[in-house]
Amino acid sequence: MKTLLSTQEQLKKGDVQLTDITGQYLDKIRKDNSSVNAFVDVDEDSVQKQANHIQSKIDSGKAGKLAGSVIGIKDVICERGKKVTCASNILRNFESVYDATVIQKLQKEDALFIGRCNMDEFAMGSSTENSIHGPTRNPRNTDHVSGGSSGGSAAAVAADMCDVSLGSDTGGSIRQPASYCGVVGVKPTYSRVSRYGLVAYASSFDCIGPFSKNVTDSAMILQEIAGHDPMDNSSSDKPVGNYMDAVNNPGGKLRIGVPEEYFGDGLDEEIRSIIESSLDELKGDGAELVPVKLPHTPYGIATYYILATAEASSNLARYDGVRYGHRADFEELEKELGMERSAIEQEIKIAVGTSKEEATERLMKLDSPLARLYKKSRTEGFGKEVKRRILLGTYVLSAGYYDAYYAKAQKVRRLIKQDFDSVFSDVDVIVSPTAPTTAFKLGENQDDPVQMYLNDVYTISANLAGICGISLPAGTHSNGLPVGIQFMANSFSETDLFRAARRHELLSGFSEG
Ligand code: GLN
């Protein structure tokens, strides 16, 4: 039974050294990362330095609460001095000058950062195939995807290249890859964890959360990264629950809602029966199963892909190649525009220096040098899926369509939230499969974005409602791939989430620990 806590015990006793642990992980990365592609950047010198530093703190009895943990970080979370590419060409050379709040918090408790994890570009996707670094493959079967968008973070933990990792979940990007790779993944309540230093995709949905090999380790990480942050106005100042207590004492009454909408058409039959046997086990263990209804579920995907793309189109407007981000080659521009370099530079200076109105006016002239620089930089910088979303988001926000799409989707979002409010007045948690299928083959959904979006059918509503969710292993499909079970709990009820998940884990014996 290997958990972070048991590793810490061994480190404290001197049975093992942190350099041995990191050495094993680095060996594993050297051996398997070329096929799995979970990590896009591993700095062995830095790992060595961190290991020595933390080991000396352990030796002198002054180590923080996470000393001994080796963590991978999704390439969308800022680490000072590290490249933060978001798997995008537009940020290929971007280096962060500051640490995200989650990084600061983990560092303060002596966590060790082993490397940067692959992802879908700007966290848009469900397979980690939309990445300038190439796809992440599923460690359980490398012909299959790892899920996404935090596929690198999930695969790194599943392939035993680190203990835990951080990902981000905007519509399922922690839970779905956790399910596909057979690990635990937690999406906390919206605003429970600071987003300061998380590159924005859809700000009213984005959440940072952990991946781990067992429920307890995720609880331990979330315990440290949760809480109010003055650097993120939207972060909640509600007190953080005692997650470790929840996993240590998961017993007691548990009412589990079973929503019929999450077990309908489109669900793989074997997954259905695996989840149903998990439910039988929970029932046998004393949990009460309550049939519930979440009637607006069928509108979740459409609502999400309107609102999230609208927010994305606005958030991604900042990548203009002038202030920062990839800038188109001047020589090519000179040729295309027939302008001297100095004239183009002058144009950029005016745009950056003048008032916003004047800059906008210049940009409205679509053939102005500045507009053409923006266009070329963004055309080269963004991948196909990101462009699709910027276009979709701009469309739903445009004056003529705003009411029909964006405003309407906001109303549906409220209805979805109300569905959950009424169910949670009666049950502690809701249970469902995490995804309708197991990990699909690489390339299988690449030409069909709608099919790709349908993958998010069971995860997306939690983001629309802002509630928390967890995915953990429930079994193995006859195709050899993992099947995940999802629990969702009301906003700020992570303790219920951990209690239910830990109970399931103990019954199933599937996770390590
Ligand atoms: N698959 C969803 C999307 O493509 C969710 C992504 C996420 O949670 N970051 O938008």
Side-chain angles (χ1 to χ4, degrees):
M1 193 168 86
K2 192 169 160 275
T3 59
L4 285 177
L5 286 170
S6 63
T7 305
Q8 286 183 329
E9 274 309 304
Q10 287 181 305
L11 281 161
K12 234 182 256 167
K13 281 197 242 147
D15 294 348
V16 67
Q17 298 284 304
L18 189 50
T19 42
D20 301 333
I21 297 173
T22 51
Q24 277 167 16
Y25 283 141
L26 289 173
D27 281 347
K28 197 83 173 77
I29 291 172
R30 274 183 225 114
K31 184 168 154 281
D32 293 334
N33 199 49
S34 55
S35 61
V36 174
N37 199 23
F39 281 102
V40 298
D41 183 14
V42 176
D43 177 351
E44 296 201 11
D45 282 348
S46 148
V47 172
Q48 193 65 38
K49 273 193 203 122
Q50 294 177 70
N52 290 334
H53 174 66
I54 297 164
Q55 182 66 52
S56 69
K57 288 179 90 172
I58 295 171
D59 293 342
S60 59
K62 288 194 185 119
K65 288 187 215 132
L66 296 176
S69 60
V70 177
I71 303 189
I73 302 293
K74 185 177 182 180
D75 205 20
V76 69
I77 297 172
C78 290
E79 265 184 84
R80 184 169 42 195
K82 291 255 184 288
K83 276 199 176 154
V84 180
T85 71
C86 296
S88 180
N89 199 30
I90 211 148
L91 290 179
R92 189 183 279 276
N93 297 312
F94 176 71
E95 215 178 270
S96 179
V97 293
Y98 72 105
D99 279 325
T101 296
V102 289
I103 299 292
Q104 293 173 35
K105 287 189 167 192
L106 294 175
Q107 205 160 36
K108 195 165 148 268
E109 296 302 336
D110 290 326
L112 185 150
F113 303 105
I114 191 163
R116 312 277 307 164
C117 297
N118 202 7
M119 55 183 279
D120 282 301
E121 185 176 359
F122 284 106
M124 297 175 187
S126 307
S127 65
T128 313
E129 292 173 289
N130 310 328
S131 165
I132 51 159
H133 308 288
T136 297
R137 290 166 183 268
N138 195 310
R140 298 278 284 264
N141 180 339
T142 51
D143 291 337
H144 291 251
V145 300
S146 55
S149 65
S150 315
S153 304
V157 171
D160 204 21
M161 296 172 175
C162 53
D163 297 309
V164 288
S165 59
L166 290 188
S168 64
D169 192 313
T170 304
S173 278
I174 291 177
R175 290 159 289 156
Q176 184 255 28
S179 166
Y180 279 10
C181 291
V183 296
V184 177
V186 181
K187 174 226 173 296
T189 303
Y190 178 75
S191 81
R192 183 65 298 177
V193 175
S194 168
R195 288 183 293 119
Y196 178 69
L198 170 70
V199 177
Y201 159 18
S203 310
S204 77
F205 298 85
D206 296 340
C207 292
I208 296 176
F211 288 91
S212 59
K213 294 162 192 166
N214 56 66
V215 175
T216 310
D217 288 357
S218 270
M220 195 166 162
I221 297 297
L222 188 61
Q223 193 81 63
E224 298 311 321
I225 61 173
H228 181 252
D229 175 18
M231 299 302 283
D232 173 4
N233 268 332
S234 67
S235 67
S236 170
D237 56 8
K238 279 199 182 15
V240 176
N242 191 337
Y243 308 146
M244 291 309 280
D245 182 57
V247 290
N248 289 331
N249 303 295
K253 202 173 134 278
L254 189 64
R255 272 171 78 78
I256 304 178
V258 186
E260 63 182 54
E261 295 81 2
Y262 284 64
F263 292 83
D265 286 348
L267 174 61
D268 178 282
E269 283 308 319
E270 259 189 66
I271 298 184
R272 183 195 308 278
S273 72
I274 288 175
I275 303 297
E276 279 170 359
S277 35
S278 295
L279 292 182
D280 287 344
E281 280 174 357
L282 283 158
K283 195 172 170 190
D285 187 48
E288 200 178 328
L289 302 182
V290 186
V292 295
K293 284 201 169 84
L294 294 163
H296 293 94
T297 302
Y299 307 109
I301 290 193
T303 307
Y304 168 85
Y305 278 96
I306 289 171
L307 296 177
T309 55
E311 292 185 25
S313 72
S314 160
N315 274 328
L316 270 59
R318 71 189 68 170
Y319 305 104
D320 57 9
V322 171
R323 287 179 178 82
Y324 68 104
H326 163 81
R327 180 181 294 178
D329 184 60
F330 268 23
E331 253 170 53
E332 286 177 29
L333 273 166
E334 280 170 330
K335 266 188 235 148
E336 280 174 34
L337 300 177
M339 274 177 83
E340 293 288 315
R341 174 178 297 235
S342 58
I344 303 175
E345 277 169 355
Q346 184 61 20
E347 184 82 9
I348 292 170
K349 246 191 225 145
I350 294 170
V352 178
T354 50
S355 72
K356 205 173 164 197
E357 287 70 29
E358 283 181 64
T360 310
E361 208 172 291
R362 284 187 108 77
L363 275 175
M364 292 304 274
K365 292 199 199 86
L366 291 181
D367 60 348
S368 73
L370 187 64
R372 293 175 74 170
L373 173 67
Y374 276 16
K375 187 173 165 193
K376 196 162 159 56
S377 301
R378 287 167 66 85
T379 301
E380 292 170 356
F382 291 131
K384 194 167 146 193
E385 182 60 26
V386 174
K387 283 179 189 150
R388 183 175 3 249
R389 301 209 184 185
I390 293 173
L391 287 173
L392 195 56
T394 309
Y395 178 80
V396 299
L397 286 176
S398 57
Y401 296 101
Y402 184 91
D403 286 340
Y405 293 107
Y406 184 77
K408 193 165 180 182
Q410 289 286 31
K411 289 181 193 153
V412 181
R413 183 177 195 177
R414 196 155 53 238
L415 294 173
I416 289 172
K417 169 90 172 69
Q418 283 166 4
D419 279 359
F420 282 106
D421 288 345
S422 83
V423 168
F424 283 128
S425 65
D426 188 33
V427 303
D428 303 305
V429 292
I430 293 170
V431 71
S432 78
T434 308
T437 64
T438 51
F440 45 90
K441 281 213 163 106
L442 261 90
E444 200 175 301
N445 286 336
Q446 270 309 67
D447 298 329
D448 188 347
V450 174
Q451 196 55 40
M452 188 72 96
Y453 300 166
L454 288 173
N455 252 284
D456 308 330
V457 62
Y458 304 139
T459 49
I460 241 162
S461 297
N463 301 77
L464 285 158
I467 61 173
C468 54
I470 188 170
S471 177
L472 67 156
T476 305
H477 198 275
S478 60
N479 63 17
L481 290 162
V483 170
I485 184 170
Q486 171 177 241
F487 292 98
M488 292 178 272
N490 208 351
S491 296
F492 305 105
S493 296
E494 276 82 0
T495 46
D496 286 335
L497 199 66
F498 282 123
R499 222 157 52 83
R502 180 69 181 136
R503 263 170 72 170
H504 174 267
E505 180 176 59
L506 287 167
L507 291 166
S508 73
F510 256 104
S511 307
E512 273 185 62

